[in-house]
Amino acid sequence: MSESSVRPSGQTSGAPFETSSGRLRPGGRAWTRSTARAFQGAVGKMPWLTKICFLWLILVILAAALADLIPGLADPNYQGFVFGDGKTNEGPTASHWLGTDNVSRDILARLIYGARVSLIFAFSLVAAGIIIGGTLGSIAGYFRGPLETFLMALVDTWLSFPALIGLVFVTTMLGMRNLLVLVLVGSIFVWPSYTRIARATALSVSGQDFVTAARAIGTSRRQILVREIFPNVLPAMLAYSLVGLPVLIILESTLSFLGLGVEIPTASWGGMINQARQDLLINIWPAVWPAAMLFMTVYSFNNLADWVRKQAAARSAAI
Amino acid sequence: MAISQEPVDTSTPSESMEGSEILRVEDLHTSFFLPIGELQAVRGVSFTLKRGQSLGIVGESGSGKTVLARSIMGLTLAKHVEISGKAFFNGRDLLTLSRREMRSLWGTEIAMIFQDPMTSLNPMVKIGRQVIEHLRQHKNVDRREAKQIALDLLNEVRIPEAESRIDRLPHELSGGMRQRVSIASALACEPSLLFADEPTTALDVTVQHQILNLLSREQRQRNMTMVLVTHDLGVIAGRTDETLVMYAGKVVEQAPTAEIFDNTQHPYTEALMRSIPRTSQPSHTPLAAITGRPPVATHLPKGCAFSPRCPYVQPRCHEEDPSLVSIGTSEHKAACWYPVGSDANREAFERNLSDRLPQTLAVAEALDADQGSETSADVPDGELT
Ligand SMILES: Nc1ncnc2c1ncn2[C@@H]1O[C@H](COP(=O)(O)OP(=O)(O)OP(=O)(O)O)[C@@H](O)[C@H]1O
Ligand code: SF4
Ligand SMILES: [Mg+2]
């Protein structure tokens, strides 16, 4: 997704956030090649800070995805002191590069596995938002009528409901807080904002000539929705996602910090900070590292989102 | 091509026969019901088109050309719209067809080209695919065949290096190239009737000529019937068989195109004629704009709609709306009490001149400035290729 997001397009009319980034092209080998070339070009044009942010994100994503394959990376839940081969609150050593926490677990391993939780949570919810919200919003914006009225009333009601409380409430009721449950319950709360954006975009896209042109060559309404509306709603969704990702990462960390995220001992940044809180005066590092990770990742996403938005604006001004 | 529906009318259309009637519009009215009142965009338009013929519809912005074309095509215009009248296409009244029935005609029988090639192509889909999907929608061809047909079409509309351009997105092409793609797409399923709504207005002058010539060539080669909508009389000169001049939703003059130029009857047509850029004039000569503005369609003046701007206006014009009647030949019709060239018209002009009517003075001035050069508008040749 970051691939397509860094290639902003012009087509922005009416989309909230007035970005619409990402040129999605249908498959094909030529496409892969030209995308790769465009991708290189786009990265080359980034200011140095954005480049660093971009590289950082790639590093975090790769590490999280390939954590199990990293040679020599400790088990994030292994408590050495229980077996007599590790110390608690240890400083950096050759075997524990970032030291250990107050129950002697390897901090680096927990940071990497914690990234996995944050990223899976954020990306899954974004995907859910795009799929559910994009579909409902496009249908509402293109077909209009009573369905639209109903959906939008639902969205407005839903958005006025405090999502964080809802999320905590539902997970507590369920009594289960693994990642899958968090994502499923989270989806209930992300779709409305995506629906709203998709509908606004679909509404402006529907009024454009190419939709009338499609009708004038006998395209059915369903096909128009799939071929003309969706592809033009998607960039707005992706642009919004880039802004939404860091928010979701913070949400996950907040939940974990409050002890309401994934169940312990699963590593998560918020959970690590919470854990370190107890011994903060003895050893501050187990709290500093996850906080720094959180900060850098969120900052990087925001910086990149900002750059993409500027590119899209420049592009649409040029068209 | 064949429509296996019985003709509603008594006149049996023989489909393949050249010169048979393909479209007959009778007393078409289109009104929008807006909060500020009823907006009569089209007010009783009638015309007939034979297979293979081309018709130019000319008028200023807001005269109802687009609404007329879209009403006939059955493309929804707005929510609060009322269309009445008849539009027989091969004997079937289009205005009575269901959306399903219309859809079976769209693309294969009737197609449309839009004004702005920037917005009439999907910005997110490769141009080749836009043509291919259209083909596959109506024709039973596989992907490869469709691609070949699409390539042939793109070559036919003279897109250089079509093989490499087929994978481009619309924004990677120039305006003229995009309009060629739109044309290729519209022609893909060989429609028998093509509406072109100001197909060149958004393009620059040299490209305009190329696109118009392309359209004319395709129209003749395919024996297609074409309706060419424009606000520029110069665009239809030498390109269409018939011309319909529209003002405020009504046809004010209707004649074979050559006749319109040689024997202008309506003061509005005459005014349009004066605003054609002339090749004989040095460039940068300001065009003679028509004095005043077109009427707001919700508040039409009483009597002739052109009366507030007409240099020949007389008291009668403010009272009675002239109807479209044959003048000279039966093929030439105009709606005016004082048609251009008549004695009554000359008297009206003199009278208004001595009354110092602003629009009459403006015309007199333009005529003075023209002294020496020929007085009848010389029209840029529509060089056909
Ligand atoms: N969807 C609509 N709702 C309300 N009024 C409309 C609508 N479409 C057109 N009109 C009005 O109908 C009248 C005729 O418009 P139309 O677009 O047909 O003009 P036109 O001759 O095509 O002009 P142009 O050269 O600008 O394209 C105008 O007064 C316009 O404001
Ligand atoms: S002379 Fe009268 S009727 Fe003729 S166009 Fe002028 S105002 Fe209308
Ligand atoms: Mg128009």
Side-chain angles (χ1 to χ4, degrees):
Chain A
M1 100 138 254
S2 52
E3 267 194 10
S4 40
S5 308
V6 291
R7 292 208 57 215
S9 84
Q11 237 286 304
T12 60
S13 48
F17 287 85
E18 43 170 27
T19 67
S20 48
S21 62
R23 179 163 304 287
L24 290 189
R25 299 203 200 171
R29 232 169 293 121
W31 171 69
T32 325
R33 229 180 300 124
S34 71
T35 309
R37 220 181 308 123
F39 182 64
Q40 276 171 8
V43 174
K45 272 190 296 177
M46 288 178 182
W48 63 269
L49 186 59
T50 307
K51 246 182 227 159
I52 292 175
C53 291
F54 185 65
L55 290 177
W56 170 254
L57 290 176
I58 289 187
L59 186 72
V60 172
I61 291 170
L62 280 180
L66 306 173
D68 300 321
L69 304 175
I70 298 174
L73 189 68
D75 178 342
N77 293 326
Y78 181 73
Q79 303 184 13
F81 81 115
V82 175
F83 304 98
D85 65 346
K87 288 188 219 142
T88 58
N89 287 325
E90 200 181 11
T93 64
S95 51
H96 303 294
W97 290 6
L98 299 180
T100 58
D101 65 2
N102 60 1
V103 288
S104 79
R105 291 174 299 199
D106 183 64
I107 291 179
L108 180 61
R110 288 187 74 71
L111 286 180
I112 291 175
Y113 280 90
R116 187 181 267 193
V117 169
S118 284
L119 293 178
I120 289 180
F121 180 80
F123 278 108
S124 308
L125 284 190
V126 158
I130 291 178
I131 293 167
I132 304 171
T135 310
L136 291 180
S138 299
I139 289 173
Y142 178 56
F143 288 115
R144 315 291 317 262
L147 182 73
E148 182 197 20
T149 317
F150 170 76
L151 262 175
M152 288 305 122
L154 194 63
V155 163
D156 288 340
T157 321
W158 216 269
L159 280 175
S160 56
F161 191 78
L164 184 64
I165 297 174
L167 195 62
V168 171
F169 185 76
V170 179
T171 47
T172 310
M173 293 291 284
L174 283 172
M176 284 194 313
R177 292 201 318 271
N178 60 38
L179 197 48
L180 182 65
V181 170
L182 283 177
V183 166
L184 287 180
V185 176
S187 328
I188 304 175
F189 297 97
V190 293
W191 71 270
S193 54
Y194 283 86
T195 306
R196 192 178 254 183
I197 288 163
R199 178 221 168 225
T201 315
L203 210 57
S204 82
V205 171
S206 309
Q208 295 198 12
D209 275 350
F210 65 86
V211 175
T212 315
R215 289 189 62 212
I217 57 174
T219 314
S220 73
R221 307 240 291 164
R222 214 191 64 237
Q223 281 170 325
I224 288 181
L225 187 70
V226 175
R227 281 193 215 151
E228 316 288 331
I229 309 289
F230 278 154
N232 286 286
V233 165
L234 204 51
M237 301 269 87
L238 291 178
Y240 181 65
S241 306
L242 210 51
V243 179
L245 275 169
V247 176
L248 289 168
I249 290 174
I250 290 177
L251 174 67
E252 189 277 328
S253 297
T254 309
L255 286 173
S256 303
F257 179 76
L258 296 172
L260 300 164
V262 287
E263 274 150 354
I264 46 175
T266 313
S268 68
W269 296 341
M272 289 172 75
I273 299 174
N274 187 26
Q275 172 97 20
R277 205 166 44 101
Q278 301 157 6
D279 290 327
L280 209 55
L281 294 178
I282 303 166
N283 182 10
I284 200 172
W285 293 103
V288 170
W289 289 117
M293 285 291 281
L294 187 60
F295 170 78
M296 296 213 292
T297 309
V298 167
Y299 180 84
S300 298
F301 269 118
N302 283 330
N303 185 291
L304 194 66
D306 219 36
W307 181 77
V308 168
R309 193 180 46 72
K310 280 192 198 124
Q311 293 293 303
R315 179 82 156 260
S316 68
I319 284 183
Chain B
M1 177 156 297
I3 293 178
S4 55
Q5 192 86 11
E6 272 179 55
V8 186
D9 210 54
T10 43
S11 60
T12 315
S14 46
E15 307 257 330
S16 56
M17 213 174 76
E18 180 125 0
S20 65
E21 178 182 297
I22 184 167
L23 181 69
R24 189 167 81 245
V25 175
E26 288 175 3
D27 198 28
L28 190 85
H29 288 260
T30 304
S31 288
F32 298 101
F33 291 91
L34 306 175
I36 50 161
E38 181 184 352
L39 190 158
Q40 303 181 344
V42 177
R43 305 184 294 149
V45 169
S46 307
F47 64 88
T48 316
L49 260 181
K50 295 199 178 78
R51 187 175 295 278
Q53 245 188 349
S54 56
L55 171 74
I57 300 182
V58 192
E60 273 169 298
S61 186
S63 53
K65 310 179 297 287
T66 298
V67 173
L68 172 65
R70 291 198 179 196
S71 301
I72 297 169
M73 263 196 92
L75 289 170
T76 330
L77 292 147
K79 260 195 179 153
H80 308 287
V81 65
E82 203 176 275
I83 304 176
S84 68
K86 294 192 163 40
F88 294 105
F89 174 73
N90 282 333
R92 285 211 286 174
D93 186 357
L94 296 175
L95 300 183
T96 63
L97 296 186
S98 68
R99 204 162 74 193
R100 255 186 100 91
E101 289 171 306
M102 272 323 280
R103 238 185 62 211
S104 69
L105 295 179
W106 283 335
T108 50
E109 289 289 328
I110 312 175
M112 188 163 194
I113 297 168
F114 294 80
Q115 172 169 344
D116 191 352
M118 304 298 234
T119 58
S120 61
L121 293 171
N122 187 337
M124 300 299 287
V125 180
K126 288 187 228 169
I127 57 154
R129 203 172 134 181
Q130 307 204 23
V131 181
I132 289 170
E133 275 179 0
H134 178 201
L135 275 162
R136 280 169 58 84
Q137 201 166 301
H138 295 293
K139 288 191 167 179
N140 192 19
V141 289
D142 65 28
R143 200 156 275 284
R144 179 178 284 171
E145 285 173 274
K147 183 169 180 182
Q148 192 50 53
I149 301 175
L151 264 178
D152 291 345
L153 270 167
L154 293 178
N155 279 321
E156 187 177 327
V157 297
R158 308 220 167 133
I159 292 184
E161 296 151 41
E163 285 81 2
S164 65
R165 286 225 163 86
I166 205 162
D167 284 327
R168 297 289 180 82
L169 289 166
H171 77 97
E172 298 173 292
L173 269 60
S174 69
M177 284 299 145
R178 284 188 227 204
Q179 197 58 301
R180 286 171 195 266
V181 175
S182 306
I183 293 172
S185 184
L187 295 178
C189 292
E190 288 150 18
S192 43
L193 175 60
L194 180 70
F195 284 93
D197 189 358
E198 310 213 27
T200 60
T201 307
L203 305 174
D204 61 49
V205 184
T206 46
V207 183
Q208 277 188 15
H209 274 269
Q210 295 165 1
I211 297 289
L212 289 168
N213 292 342
L214 168 70
L215 273 174
S216 301
R217 197 184 67 221
E218 292 294 335
Q219 185 248 330
R220 276 177 292 117
Q221 278 174 6
R222 292 165 181 265
N223 193 27
M224 188 169 62
T225 313
M226 181 166 78
V227 177
L228 181 60
V229 174
T230 172
H231 61 254
D232 181 358
L233 259 178
V235 158
I236 57 155
R239 286 200 175 87
T240 61
D241 304 317
E242 283 276 324
T243 295
L244 226 144
V245 180
M246 275 184 86
Y247 188 76
K250 275 196 171 178
V251 177
V252 292
E253 186 162 4
Q254 178 176 8
T257 304
E259 175 79 7
I260 287 267
F261 284 99
D262 297 344
N263 186 16
T264 310
Q265 291 293 326
H266 199 278
Y268 178 61
T269 317
E270 189 191 45
L272 280 179
M273 211 80 85
R274 267 198 294 270
S275 61
I276 300 175
R278 297 187 205 176
T279 39
S280 61
Q281 278 174 335
S283 51
H284 304 302
T285 310
L287 294 183
I290 307 174
T291 331
R293 304 209 149 271
V296 181
T298 41
H299 297 89
L300 292 171
K302 195 169 171 241
C304 173
F306 191 53
S307 57
R309 305 167 74 191
C310 180
Y312 314 111
V313 60
Q314 295 299 302
R316 185 183 184 184
C317 307
H318 291 302
E319 297 303 320
E320 297 168 70
D321 194 6
S323 47
L324 192 66
V325 291
S326 296
I327 288 176
T329 62
S330 65
E331 286 179 330
H332 195 158
K333 293 178 187 165
C336 178
W337 298 124
Y338 306 92
V340 176
S342 65
D343 291 339
N345 175 279
R346 254 184 300 280
E347 284 163 27
F349 188 72
E350 292 304 329
R351 210 169 309 141
N352 288 346
L353 208 53
S354 57
D355 288 349
R356 307 198 63 76
L357 209 65
Q359 64 263 39
T360 318
L361 289 174
V363 169
E365 217 168 276
L367 285 176
D368 279 348
D370 248 20
Q371 284 298 320
S373 78
E374 61 272 71
T375 34
S376 73
D378 72 339
V379 167
D381 293 328
E383 350 65 267
L384 298 172
T385 50

XYZ file of all heavy atoms in Angstrom, chain A residues 6-64:
449
model
N 2.645 6.481 -2.529
C 3.631 7.495 -2.808
C 3.527 7.984 -4.242
O 4.255 8.856 -4.647
C 5.066 7.006 -2.550
C 5.285 6.816 -1.076
C 5.364 5.749 -3.316
N 2.582 7.439 -4.997
C 2.372 7.986 -6.324
C 1.035 8.684 -6.345
O 0.028 8.109 -6.709
C 2.356 6.873 -7.376
C 3.700 6.219 -7.551
C 3.789 5.687 -8.952
N 3.582 6.754 -9.912
C 2.973 6.583 -11.063
N 2.469 5.450 -11.399
N 2.859 7.603 -11.887
N 1.005 9.912 -5.940
C -0.273 10.595 -5.838
C -0.853 10.878 -7.218
O -0.113 10.988 -8.191
C 0.073 11.885 -5.127
C 1.512 12.080 -5.387
C 2.140 10.769 -5.670
N -2.146 11.030 -7.266
C -2.757 11.337 -8.542
C -3.415 12.695 -8.470
O -3.480 13.310 -7.422
C -3.816 10.295 -8.865
O -5.011 10.652 -8.227
N -3.916 13.123 -9.568
C -4.553 14.429 -9.639
C -5.948 14.422 -9.090
O -6.268 15.044 -8.116
N -6.783 13.724 -9.703
C -8.173 13.486 -9.383
C -8.565 13.666 -7.914
O -8.664 12.701 -7.164
C -8.422 12.032 -9.767
C -9.533 11.914 -10.742
C -10.827 12.145 -10.082
O -11.143 11.483 -9.126
N -11.595 13.098 -10.552
N -8.791 14.870 -7.496
C -9.037 15.028 -6.084
C -10.398 15.604 -5.783
O -10.785 15.681 -4.641
C -8.043 16.016 -5.463
O -8.216 17.251 -6.114
C -6.646 15.542 -5.578
N -11.080 16.028 -6.821
C -12.246 16.870 -6.615
C -13.153 16.378 -5.517
O -13.631 15.266 -5.541
C -13.042 16.956 -7.913
O -13.198 15.673 -8.430
N -13.368 17.226 -4.574
C -14.396 16.963 -3.580
C -14.009 15.989 -2.497
O -14.724 15.865 -1.524
N -12.900 15.310 -2.639
C -12.575 14.339 -1.626
C -12.158 15.059 -0.361
O -11.434 16.029 -0.413
C -11.448 13.449 -2.094
N -12.630 14.598 0.782
C -12.206 15.212 2.022
C -10.697 15.022 2.141
O -10.143 14.126 1.513
C -12.935 14.402 3.081
C -13.884 13.534 2.365
C -13.485 13.466 0.954
N -10.083 15.843 2.926
C -8.638 15.815 3.071
C -7.980 16.222 1.779
O -6.784 16.206 1.649
C -8.103 14.420 3.451
C -8.410 14.068 4.858
C -9.621 13.501 5.176
C -7.513 14.356 5.857
C -9.925 13.201 6.476
C -7.809 14.047 7.165
C -9.035 13.472 7.475
N -8.760 16.526 0.837
C -8.397 16.814 -0.528
C -7.105 16.160 -1.010
O -6.370 16.668 -1.809
C -8.371 18.313 -0.828
C -7.740 19.152 0.231
C -7.543 20.555 -0.262
O -8.301 20.993 -1.152
O -6.618 21.189 0.214
N -6.861 15.010 -0.540
C -5.779 14.270 -1.131
C -6.442 13.118 -1.786
O -7.457 12.656 -1.364
C -4.905 13.631 -0.088
O -5.671 12.652 0.558
C -4.367 14.598 0.856
N -5.890 12.667 -2.816
C -6.241 11.336 -3.184
C -4.964 10.889 -3.765
O -4.429 11.475 -4.652
C -7.356 11.294 -4.166
O -7.113 12.169 -5.193
N -4.442 9.923 -3.155
C -3.141 9.522 -3.587
C -3.291 8.176 -4.197
O -4.344 7.619 -4.250
C -2.257 9.397 -2.394
O -2.808 8.396 -1.610
N -2.225 7.684 -4.715
C -2.262 6.300 -5.101
C -2.902 6.116 -6.436
O -4.064 6.411 -6.645
N -2.132 5.658 -7.352
C -2.702 5.357 -8.642
C -2.735 3.864 -8.713
O -1.720 3.203 -8.659
C -1.772 5.909 -9.698
C -2.256 5.623 -11.073
C -1.544 6.536 -12.030
N -1.724 7.926 -11.671
C -2.847 8.573 -11.828
N -3.890 7.970 -12.312
N -2.906 9.818 -11.496
N -3.922 3.333 -8.717
C -4.008 1.889 -8.766
C -4.131 1.476 -10.196
O -5.037 1.890 -10.887
C -5.232 1.430 -8.000
C -5.078 1.634 -6.521
C -6.220 0.972 -5.823
C -3.766 1.054 -6.041
N -3.247 0.683 -10.613
C -3.359 0.246 -11.979
C -3.616 -1.237 -11.996
O -3.080 -1.983 -11.199
C -2.060 0.506 -12.707
C -1.722 1.962 -12.738
C -0.825 2.132 -13.872
N -0.065 3.344 -13.775
C 0.911 3.576 -14.619
N 1.234 2.684 -15.532
N 1.562 4.684 -14.550
N -4.427 -1.638 -12.943
C -4.676 -3.055 -13.056
C -3.376 -3.797 -13.407
O -2.460 -3.198 -13.955
C -5.683 -3.151 -14.185
C -6.013 -1.777 -14.593
C -5.086 -0.837 -13.940
N -3.382 -5.072 -13.104
C -2.168 -5.888 -13.195
C -1.436 -5.880 -14.514
O -1.742 -5.113 -15.409
N -0.444 -6.719 -14.624
C 0.329 -6.788 -15.854
C 1.785 -6.551 -15.559
O 2.125 -5.866 -14.618
N 2.643 -7.145 -16.376
C 4.069 -7.053 -16.111
C 4.569 -5.635 -16.357
O 5.385 -5.112 -15.622
C 4.838 -8.046 -16.965
C 5.764 -8.906 -16.123
C 6.306 -10.053 -16.957
N 5.293 -11.008 -17.336
C 4.975 -11.332 -18.599
N 5.579 -10.766 -19.606
N 4.048 -12.207 -18.857
N 4.064 -5.042 -17.412
C 4.476 -3.677 -17.733
C 4.168 -2.756 -16.561
O 4.930 -1.869 -16.225
C 3.731 -3.184 -18.967
N 3.065 -3.043 -15.923
C 2.638 -2.242 -14.786
C 3.664 -2.337 -13.657
O 4.096 -1.351 -13.088
C 1.284 -2.739 -14.311
C 0.874 -2.126 -13.029
C 0.527 -0.827 -12.831
C 0.781 -2.763 -11.762
N 0.214 -0.620 -11.523
C 0.365 -1.789 -10.839
C 1.002 -4.062 -11.320
C 0.169 -2.079 -9.495
C 0.805 -4.346 -9.990
C 0.392 -3.363 -9.091
N 4.081 -3.582 -13.358
C 5.035 -3.792 -12.278
C 6.305 -3.001 -12.553
O 6.844 -2.334 -11.686
C 5.394 -5.282 -12.171
O 4.259 -6.024 -12.489
C 5.893 -5.608 -10.793
N 6.767 -3.092 -13.804
C 8.000 -2.422 -14.154
C 7.847 -0.904 -14.030
O 8.665 -0.226 -13.412
C 8.414 -2.786 -15.582
C 9.881 -3.204 -15.655
C 10.260 -3.566 -17.082
N 9.469 -4.676 -17.617
C 8.759 -4.599 -18.751
N 8.712 -3.486 -19.433
N 8.091 -5.637 -19.175
N 6.768 -0.384 -14.587
C 6.616 1.074 -14.574
C 6.365 1.565 -13.151
O 6.793 2.650 -12.777
C 5.490 1.510 -15.512
O 4.250 1.148 -14.977
N 5.688 0.751 -12.342
C 5.463 1.155 -10.956
C 6.787 1.207 -10.211
O 7.065 2.150 -9.476
C 4.532 0.176 -10.236
O 3.378 0.005 -11.030
C 4.142 0.700 -8.873
N 7.616 0.190 -10.436
C 8.907 0.155 -9.768
C 9.712 1.399 -10.124
O 10.324 2.030 -9.264
C 9.670 -1.106 -10.178
N 9.672 1.772 -11.392
C 10.424 2.943 -11.838
C 9.863 4.213 -11.182
O 10.598 5.020 -10.612
C 10.342 3.068 -13.361
C 11.668 3.501 -13.970
C 11.562 3.649 -15.485
N 11.006 2.464 -16.135
C 9.921 2.473 -16.898
N 9.249 3.591 -17.077
N 9.480 1.367 -17.467
N 8.556 4.323 -11.219
C 7.902 5.500 -10.639
C 8.167 5.572 -9.142
O 8.353 6.640 -8.573
C 6.405 5.436 -10.897
N 8.219 4.402 -8.525
C 8.447 4.291 -7.098
C 9.827 4.839 -6.734
O 9.973 5.667 -5.839
C 8.323 2.811 -6.730
C 8.486 2.527 -5.281
C 7.594 3.022 -4.356
C 9.530 1.743 -4.847
C 7.737 2.743 -3.019
C 9.683 1.455 -3.512
C 8.795 1.955 -2.599
N 10.818 4.404 -7.519
C 12.171 4.914 -7.305
C 12.200 6.432 -7.451
O 12.788 7.143 -6.642
C 13.134 4.309 -8.319
C 13.667 2.952 -7.907
C 14.434 2.293 -9.040
O 14.681 2.919 -10.063
N 14.787 1.036 -8.849
N 11.534 6.875 -8.504
C 11.502 8.319 -8.758
C 10.874 9.077 -7.601
O 11.388 10.103 -7.163
N 9.777 8.525 -7.080
C 9.061 9.201 -5.997
C 9.927 9.282 -4.747
O 10.014 10.327 -4.107
C 7.757 8.464 -5.697
N 10.595 8.176 -4.398
C 11.448 8.179 -3.209
C 12.587 9.176 -3.405
O 12.951 9.915 -2.489
C 11.996 6.758 -2.927
C 13.002 6.792 -1.786
C 10.860 5.810 -2.608
N 13.115 9.205 -4.625
C 14.211 10.126 -4.925
C 13.818 11.577 -4.699
O 14.645 12.405 -4.309
N 12.537 11.896 -4.919
C 12.090 13.289 -4.808
C 11.809 13.717 -3.372
O 11.584 14.884 -3.100
C 10.803 13.480 -5.640
C 11.076 13.837 -7.098
C 9.785 14.244 -7.799
C 8.811 13.091 -7.849
N 7.515 13.400 -8.430
N 11.798 12.736 -2.441
C 11.442 13.065 -1.058
C 12.511 13.938 -0.406
O 13.696 13.754 -0.657
C 11.334 11.777 -0.226
C 10.131 10.938 -0.530
S 10.200 9.441 0.487
C 8.746 8.595 -0.093
N 12.103 14.848 0.468
C 13.108 15.545 1.280
C 13.794 14.533 2.206
O 13.227 13.476 2.488
C 12.286 16.560 2.077
C 10.859 16.284 1.805
C 10.734 15.258 0.750
N 14.978 14.885 2.689
C 15.768 13.870 3.411
C 15.051 13.328 4.636
O 15.101 12.150 4.939
C 17.165 14.387 3.749
C 17.162 15.584 4.684
C 17.136 16.895 4.304
C 17.162 15.564 6.107
N 17.110 17.698 5.393
C 17.140 16.917 6.538
C 17.194 14.560 7.074
C 17.126 17.275 7.870
C 17.186 14.933 8.415
C 17.149 16.262 8.803
N 14.316 14.199 5.332
C 13.631 13.747 6.541
C 12.563 12.707 6.196
O 12.416 11.685 6.868
C 13.004 14.949 7.264
C 12.369 14.631 8.617
C 13.384 14.025 9.579
C 11.754 15.884 9.231
N 11.819 12.989 5.125
C 10.784 12.044 4.696
C 11.414 10.728 4.260
O 10.877 9.652 4.515
C 9.968 12.660 3.547
O 9.509 13.933 3.953
C 8.788 11.788 3.177
N 12.584 10.845 3.613
C 13.289 9.636 3.202
C 13.621 8.781 4.421
O 13.421 7.569 4.416
C 14.587 10.027 2.488
C 14.602 9.640 1.017
C 15.922 10.007 0.377
C 15.644 10.695 -0.930
N 16.720 11.503 -1.433
N 14.119 9.439 5.471
C 14.470 8.702 6.690
C 13.224 8.058 7.282
O 13.225 6.889 7.651
C 15.135 9.651 7.726
C 16.499 10.078 7.198
C 15.259 8.974 9.088
C 17.193 11.107 8.066
N 12.132 8.824 7.328
C 10.875 8.292 7.855
C 10.436 7.074 7.061
O 10.014 6.058 7.613
C 9.776 9.353 7.791
S 10.044 10.710 8.928
N 10.560 7.206 5.763
C 10.136 6.130 4.869
C 10.979 4.876 5.123
O 10.454 3.771 5.256
C 10.273 6.631 3.436
C 9.770 5.669 2.405
C 8.425 5.342 2.341
C 10.648 5.090 1.502
C 7.960 4.463 1.387
C 10.191 4.206 0.555
C 8.843 3.884 0.496
N 12.291 5.076 5.213
C 13.186 3.939 5.455
C 12.898 3.314 6.821
O 12.890 2.092 6.969
C 14.647 4.388 5.380
C 15.122 4.757 3.980
C 16.561 5.250 4.012
C 14.989 3.563 3.032
N 12.646 4.170 7.789
C 12.331 3.681 9.127
C 11.091 2.789 9.094
O 11.082 1.698 9.677
C 12.126 4.852 10.092
C 11.562 4.440 11.416
C 10.303 4.621 11.875
C 12.257 3.732 12.445
N 10.156 4.084 13.120
C 11.360 3.518 13.497
C 13.566 3.251 12.570
C 11.694 2.863 14.663
C 13.905 2.590 13.744
C 12.974 2.400 14.778
N 10.066 3.242 8.397
C 8.832 2.471 8.320
C 9.074 1.128 7.642
O 8.564 0.091 8.074
C 7.746 3.259 7.578
C 7.201 4.463 8.343
C 6.208 5.232 7.501
C 6.554 4.011 9.652
N 9.864 1.162 6.567
C 10.163 -0.095 5.884
C 10.888 -1.036 6.845
O 10.569 -2.224 6.937
C 11.018 0.174 4.630
C 10.141 0.864 3.587
C 11.597 -1.124 4.070
C 10.807 1.043 2.258
N 11.837 -0.476 7.593
C 12.604 -1.281 8.552
C 11.669 -1.906 9.590
O 11.725 -3.110 9.866
C 13.647 -0.389 9.230
C 14.624 -1.104 10.157
C 15.600 -1.932 9.336
C 15.379 -0.106 11.026
N 10.788 -1.090 10.157
C 9.883 -1.586 11.194
C 8.950 -2.654 10.629
O 8.743 -3.713 11.231
C 9.060 -0.421 11.802
C 7.992 -0.946 12.743
C 9.975 0.546 12.530
N 8.425 -2.372 9.438
C 7.480 -3.325 8.846
C 8.188 -4.650 8.543
O 7.678 -5.734 8.857
C 6.847 -2.724 7.570
C 5.924 -1.563 7.962
C 6.073 -3.782 6.798
C 5.432 -0.738 6.790
N 9.386 -4.556 7.965
C 10.123 -5.776 7.647
C 10.456 -6.552 8.918
O 10.266 -7.773 8.976
C 11.416 -5.439 6.892
C 11.254 -5.157 5.396
C 12.600 -4.849 4.772
C 10.594 -6.342 4.699
N 10.955 -5.845 9.925
C 11.338 -6.522 11.168
C 10.132 -7.208 11.781
O 10.206 -8.371 12.214
C 11.926 -5.507 12.145
N 8.985 -6.511 11.790
C 7.787 -7.087 12.388
C 7.334 -8.309 11.601
O 6.951 -9.330 12.171
C 6.677 -6.043 12.436
